[in-house]
Amino acid sequence: MFWKFDLNTTSHVDKLLDKEDVTLRELMDEDDILQRSMEELVSLVTQDPALDMEEKINDRLGGDETLLNLLYDFLNREPPLSPLLASFFSKTIGSLIERRTEQVIVFLRKKDKFLSLVLKHIGTSALMDLLLHLVSCVEPTGLRQEVLHWSARSSEGSPGTAADAGRALWRRH
């Protein structure tokens, strides 16, 4: 008689995980997963990551053009940008510039509109910080000079504020 009862209680989460194309959004919509992950999420946001974890993230993100393109697409939004999201974007790109300098600069130089898009959002302080970071924190010095020349060429012919910002950065360094 015991076997007549269906004791195989497969949770909705298990069913989701069995799906081939399950997304993180779908999983986060589940209350029990959200509850279980909340402490982990708060920990990730409020504590410095382990050094090896930060290195792994930088290696993965800086070495994957698909992920860099997803990040880059943030600049295609219409102004004004959310200051919070712009801050996250700027911090992420800035960190990648510091740790994966050559790879990230090569990627950004392939993007014809990168500097014009950043300059389009220059009214968002996080993007101004990113631009300053880009021209002042790139090492070695030869690469920094290359970035400065690139930024000067990219701002030529740009209207108004964008051109002024590009020329000001060039003169500053």
Side-chain angles (χ1 to χ4, degrees):
M1 295 276 174
F2 179 73
W3 49 89
K4 284 187 177 181
F5 299 103
D6 183 15
L7 295 177
N8 183 9
T9 56
T10 305
S11 73
H12 184 61
V13 172
D14 290 332
K15 289 178 186 174
L16 276 174
L17 291 172
D18 286 340
K19 281 178 47 178
E20 195 169 306
D21 60 345
V22 66
T23 65
L24 184 57
R25 265 187 219 279
E26 287 176 295
L27 289 171
M28 293 308 289
D29 282 342
E30 294 300 313
D31 289 336
D32 52 336
I33 288 183
L34 188 58
Q35 183 63 34
R36 284 187 246 159
S37 62
M38 200 52 84
E39 185 176 315
E40 179 81 17
L41 184 60
V42 169
S43 174
L44 287 171
V45 171
T46 59
Q47 297 175 14
D48 287 332
L51 211 47
D52 64 331
M53 179 57 73
E54 187 174 344
E55 196 66 32
K56 286 178 187 175
I57 291 170
N58 286 324
D59 287 346
R60 177 73 173 122
L61 184 55
D64 187 327
E65 197 155 326
T66 301
L67 293 175
L68 286 172
N69 277 318
L70 283 171
L71 190 59
Y72 175 82
D73 283 344
F74 176 74
L75 293 174
N76 287 317
R77 295 179 180 194
E78 286 301 313
L81 294 175
S82 157
L84 180 63
L85 293 177
S87 177
F88 291 150
F89 171 82
S90 178
K91 181 75 172 166
T92 303
I93 292 288
S95 177
L96 287 171
I97 288 170
E98 285 179 23
R99 291 172 177 80
R100 306 287 291 204
T101 306
E102 290 190 37
Q103 285 175 296
V104 174
I105 297 299
V106 165
F107 170 81
L108 293 176
R109 288 186 75 179
K110 286 189 231 174
K111 302 296 185 182
D112 294 334
K113 295 182 179 183
F114 171 70
L115 286 173
S116 64
L117 286 172
V118 170
L119 292 172
K120 176 174 120 177
H121 298 293
I122 204 70
T124 305
S125 63
L127 273 288
M128 175 56 102
D129 292 345
L130 173 63
L131 199 52
L132 290 171
H133 192 81
L134 181 65
V135 297
S136 63
C137 295
V138 171
E139 294 293 336
T141 306
L143 186 57
R144 182 181 314 141
Q145 290 302 318
E146 232 180 275
V147 168
L148 286 168
H149 288 288
W150 170 51
S151 67
R153 283 191 309 273
S154 295
S155 65
E156 287 173 1
S158 297
T161 306
D164 294 343
R167 283 190 290 275
L169 288 170
W170 173 247
R171 278 189 233 115
R172 185 171 184 260
H173 293 278

